Amino acid sequence: MALYWSGYPIGGFFGTWLGAVIGPVYGWRMVFYVACLLGLIIAVLYGILVKNDRSTENAYKDQRPAEDKLPVSRIFSHPSVILIAIYYFILLSGWWIVLLWAPTFLMNVKHMSLGVGGTIASLLGLSGAVGGYLIGRYCDKGSLFRKKWVLVAITMLSGILMAALVIDFPVWLITVLILLLGFFGYPITPVVLAVTSQMVPKQLTGSAVGFVMNIGMVAGGVSPVVAGMLSEKYAMSAVWFVAAVVMLISCCLLLFTSKEADYSAEGRSISH
């Protein structure tokens, strides 16, 4: 999950850096044109290079043991999954402020130029990819219990680091804090997906992960609107700090999740 998800922060790093380089020279419209062109190139490459081997897929289907289907409603019989979904929504309500406002925050509050602020903000993705892989490997060496407490720890660290950025630090220290925020913040999503997948029988893994992701992604539509309204009345640093507090509050819900059954192991034993 972490290796797959690393494409997201790496793309964020490249895109933020590219926007910071192109914007000051050619204007903000050119940034959108370049983004469109990159998307078209990737779509064409995906269509040409990614093939579906029907023979291998059919052979795999034939080898899989028959499994009893479970209704999607069974997801709601696992309270911890519901808590994870609510946690993820609250967390992303704060994290989206980082994703959307980091360059603007560094320019307006820290008085950096667009190029400098955008370049420093882009480092979030670079350190996030490294953190995602390393934290993912650490989680793989432990049980569901380890993943849960890693999630608590990186959520708390992300909130604290985000709040610390409000303080008037020198540029080099702000850069360090940004790197650490990316390192601990970006891996939250793959760990959430891994934890969720182990809280339900494997027949419901896809549905449970989709449920948690969709509830969390609703924050992507709500958070920017609320933050925009608040920024009209309050300073950006105040809104940024509130978002950090929201992230810290979210991890309280994780404390109420139980270990429940490790269904990933149970499902394997049943299938064998």
Side-chain angles (χ1 to χ4, degrees):
M1 280 292 187
L3 186 60
Y4 154 73
W5 198 258
S6 65
Y8 180 54
I10 291 174
F13 159 73
F14 178 70
T16 307
W17 172 80
L18 194 61
V21 171
I22 295 174
V25 179
Y26 299 102
W28 65 268
R29 288 182 176 84
M30 183 56 68
V31 176
F32 283 80
Y33 294 144
V34 171
C36 174
L37 179 61
L38 290 174
L40 291 174
I41 292 173
I42 293 300
V44 171
L45 290 175
Y46 187 89
I48 294 174
L49 300 178
V50 179
K51 304 295 183 181
N52 186 21
D53 190 338
R54 294 289 184 181
S55 60
T56 303
E57 183 178 304
N58 292 333
Y60 174 71
K61 287 181 179 178
D62 293 338
Q63 292 173 1
R64 284 190 305 175
E67 297 175 348
D68 295 331
K69 292 184 178 180
L70 294 176
V72 177
S73 59
R74 278 285 299 275
I75 293 174
F76 300 100
S77 66
H78 299 276
S80 291
V81 175
I82 308 300
L83 286 173
I84 285 285
I86 298 172
Y87 149 79
Y88 196 48
F89 172 83
I90 297 174
L91 169 87
L92 288 188
S93 295
W95 184 244
W96 271 106
I97 305 302
V98 176
L99 296 178
L100 297 177
W101 280 19
T104 306
F105 176 80
L106 293 176
M107 286 189 294
N108 294 352
V109 178
K110 302 301 181 180
H111 309 294
M112 298 180 184
S113 66
L114 176 60
V116 173
T119 300
I120 292 177
S122 70
L123 297 176
L124 277 165
L126 195 61
S127 62
V130 176
Y133 181 75
L134 294 178
I135 291 174
R137 289 296 298 160
Y138 176 76
C139 288
D140 281 342
K141 297 177 181 179
S143 63
L144 176 61
F145 183 77
R146 172 181 285 194
K147 293 182 180 69
K148 169 186 170 179
W149 285 105
V150 165
L151 197 55
V152 171
I154 60 180
T155 300
M156 291 183 66
L157 285 170
S158 298
I160 292 170
L161 288 166
M162 185 178 173
L165 285 169
V166 176
I167 303 173
D168 188 19
F169 287 131
V171 174
W172 70 267
L173 187 52
I174 291 173
T175 304
V176 171
L177 292 176
I178 288 287
L179 284 167
L180 291 173
L181 180 57
F183 185 91
F184 292 109
Y186 267 111
I188 289 175
T189 292
V191 178
V192 165
L193 301 183
V195 168
T196 302
S197 68
Q198 289 186 271
M199 286 184 166
V200 295
K202 69 175 187 175
Q203 298 96 319
L204 291 175
T205 297
S207 299
V209 168
F211 171 73
V212 171
M213 286 293 291
N214 285 331
I215 294 297
M217 290 304 171
V218 170
V222 175
S223 177
V225 175
V226 174
M229 295 172 61
L230 291 175
S231 65
E232 294 178 355
K233 298 181 179 180
Y234 306 100
M236 182 177 290
S237 57
V239 179
W240 182 276
F241 184 80
V242 169
V245 173
V246 167
M247 289 176 64
L248 282 169
I249 291 173
S250 70
C251 74
C252 296
L253 289 172
L254 295 174
L255 303 178
F256 296 97
T257 58
S258 64
K259 289 184 65 175
E260 297 194 35
D262 188 340
Y263 284 106
S264 61
E266 179 183 329
R268 286 192 295 270
S269 63
I270 291 174
S271 63
H272 290 316

